[in-house]
Amino acid sequence: MAGATIVSTGTNYVHDIVTAGFGLIADEPERAGGTGAGPAPYDYYLASLAACTAITLRMYAQKKGWELGRLTVDLVLRKDEAGHATVQRTLRSDAALDEAQWTRLLEIVANTPVTKTMREGADIQTVRGA
C-alpha cells in the first residue's frame, strides 16, 4: 500500500509532502501564481509514470540478462481543446538492443503497474477527517 500526506506551508501554493518517509515540496510555477519552489502536481504525475517505467524495464532486463545501459524515459502531457489528456512516453537506451528486445520492452511498458492504474483509473473516495 502506498500513501502520502501533504500539508500547506502558508506560502501561497507551496506544500510539504511526506511519502514513504521522504520529504518533497509541491508548488506551481510563477506563471501560474506559485513561487516555483517545487514541481507542480502534473510534474509528479509524470515522474511517477517515468519512475515506474524505468524501474520495471530495469527489472525485466536484469531478469533476461540484457544490458539496458543508460535508460532515459521522457514524458510529455498535453491536453486537447476538450481537456482530454495524452501522455507521450519516449524511451531511449545507449545499449545495443536489437529490434526484438525493443519490441518486448515496448510491450512491457504498456503494462507497468502505474501505467495500468493511470490508463484504467482508480476510484477516489474523499472523506472529512476529524
Side-chain angles (χ1 to χ4, degrees), residues 5-20:
T5 300
I6 188 164
V7 178
S8 58
T9 64
T11 304
N12 207 10
Y13 301 140
V14 178
H15 286 75
D16 291 327
I17 303 168
V18 176
T19 182

Side-chain angles (χ1 to χ4, degrees), residues 7-9 13 21 26 29 32 46 60 63 68 73 79 103 113 125 130:
V7 178
S8 58
T9 64
Y13 301 140
L46 292 175
Y60 184 81
K63 179 180 166 188
L68 199 53
V73 180
K79 288 189 176 186
T103 297
Q125 302 169 359

Side-chain angles (χ1 to χ4, degrees), residues 19 21 24 26 28 34 39 45 47 49 53-54 56 62 64 79 82-83 85 87-88 95-96 100 106 111 113 115:
T19 182
L24 307 168
E28 288 289 339
Y45 178 84
L49 179 58
T53 298
T56 301
Q62 287 175 346
K64 290 294 192 178
K79 288 189 176 186
V87 175
Q88 180 176 333
L106 292 171
N111 292 299
T115 300

Side-chain angles (χ1 to χ4, degrees), residues 81-128:
E81 293 172 2
H84 176 75
T86 300
V87 175
Q88 180 176 333
R89 176 170 40 194
T90 303
L91 307 177
R92 293 180 184 81
S93 173
D94 65 1
L97 299 168
D98 62 34
E99 284 304 311
Q101 289 171 312
W102 272 114
T103 297
R104 185 63 184 135
L105 292 174
L106 292 171
E107 291 170 355
I108 295 296
V109 298
N111 292 299
T112 70
V114 173
T115 300
K116 288 171 71 172
T117 300
M118 288 181 174
R119 183 178 59 237
E120 297 167 8
D123 291 331
I124 300 173
Q125 302 169 359
T126 306
V127 298
R128 180 182 171 185

